[in-house]
Amino acid sequence: MTPGKNIPVITIDGPTASGKGTITRLLAQRLGWHILDSGALYRLVALAARKHSISLDDAESLQPLAAHLDVEFAVDKDSGEIVTLLEGEDVTQDLRAETCGNDASQVAQIPAVREALLARQRAFREAPGLVADGRDMGTVVFPDAVLKIFLTASTEERARRRYNQLKDKGLGVTMRGLLDEIAERDARDRERAASPLVAAEDAVQLDTSELTIDEVVDRLWSLCQVSLH
Ligand code: DC
């Protein structure tokens, strides 16, 4: 039997910059549950590949890298923020860069990399529950989730959100560049053969283009009341 099978999981899948990260964090906070940011794992594989000068399409070298990824999540004593250490080095900032997201989308095309990360993702399933954010959470990683959400938003709205997010962090980007990158990443994530970005048949689809963050969380909260009782 798969470990933690009786522990409830809510999956939140969707394209890049659809608000999954923020919504996942807020919903998990309300529920008092754990979080899996599966995109971070693909981003870490991409960073590790760059660090070791491994090409992003070299499946043979990327598989062991993904399987033995040396990662630690620590809490910064001063800020209370989560710090990500890759092979002992603080990569928290590098991880959020657009280039890293793009690199991640490339390594994520490789079936052996996805397979190598499966057990690591499932290990996040701990009591009292897990909210898992990604592309294939509801279809592949947690097909038995109690509630599956598929978030969407128009490309323009997603580019605008990502622009504000990155600008706030002081990372240099342009709207034009973001629109192109998001469109390219969407196409790659949707069209790949291995676990493509697609809504699970039993997922609830929600277009967030016209909704505030609080409105989205409230809707998901209502869905939770039905699914968890
Ligand atoms: O969610 P994110 O932007 O951090 O994800 C970065 C890339 O990783 C994304 O473009 C595709 C890949 N990814 C994936 O293939 N499957 C997941 N479950 C999560 C992310």
Side-chain angles (χ1 to χ4, degrees):
M1 177 161 158
T2 313
K5 265 284 184 201
N6 51 349
I7 297 170
V9 180
I10 295 174
T11 56
I12 304 192
D13 289 304
T16 194
S18 54
K20 294 177 286 118
T22 309
I23 303 298
T24 297
R25 192 164 35 78
L26 292 172
L27 186 65
Q29 251 169 26
R30 259 205 219 184
L31 289 160
W33 286 12
H34 299 279
I35 287 179
L36 165 61
D37 170 7
S38 61
L41 295 177
Y42 290 95
R43 286 170 184 257
L44 282 161
V45 173
L47 277 184
R50 291 276 185 210
K51 187 169 172 179
H52 295 287
S53 305
I54 294 171
S55 160
L56 299 178
D57 61 0
D58 179 355
E60 224 164 273
S61 307
L62 288 171
Q63 193 281 339
L65 197 70
H68 305 291
L69 207 54
D70 173 5
V71 186
E72 210 186 310
F73 300 100
V75 179
D76 183 88
K77 278 198 262 30
D78 299 323
S79 66
E81 300 281 320
I82 304 274
V83 173
T84 308
L85 302 172
L86 174 64
E87 297 168 11
E89 187 191 335
D90 183 351
V91 294
T92 317
Q93 283 283 352
D94 306 343
L95 212 55
R96 294 332 315 168
E98 274 312 280
T99 46
C100 183
N102 257 318
D103 287 356
S105 163
Q106 290 182 56
V107 300
Q109 290 178 288
I110 301 172
V113 168
R114 305 198 71 85
E115 182 66 32
L117 292 178
L118 256 188
R120 199 184 280 257
Q121 294 174 83
R122 289 184 176 144
F124 279 76
R125 188 173 195 164
E126 283 190 55
L130 176 71
V131 186
D133 151 2
R135 303 291 186 291
D136 61 343
M137 297 296 99
T139 49
V140 176
V141 184
F142 302 108
D144 62 334
V146 285
L147 176 61
K148 300 179 185 179
I149 306 292
F150 195 82
L151 291 184
T152 57
S154 67
T155 312
E156 291 70 25
E157 178 57 23
R158 288 187 286 130
R160 199 184 58 75
R161 289 177 190 171
R162 183 51 57 87
Y163 180 79
N164 290 334
Q165 209 178 35
L166 294 174
K167 211 174 53 167
D168 286 349
K169 287 189 180 153
L171 300 170
V173 281
T174 64
M175 263 307 268
R176 184 67 258 162
L178 274 177
L179 271 169
D180 290 346
E181 272 176 29
I182 285 180
E184 187 192 334
R185 192 124 75 91
D186 276 356
R188 196 186 299 121
D189 292 349
R190 286 202 167 102
E191 289 160 18
R192 68 177 177 226
S195 311
L197 169 65
V198 60
E201 268 180 24
D202 48 350
V204 177
Q205 300 211 31
L206 187 58
D207 186 333
T208 69
S209 305
E210 308 283 328
L211 300 174
T212 65
I213 290 170
D214 285 345
E215 284 170 336
V216 177
V217 176
D218 283 345
R219 288 207 192 180
L220 298 196
W221 184 250
S222 306
L223 291 169
C224 286
Q225 302 314 307
V226 178
S227 303
L228 299 175
H229 295 107

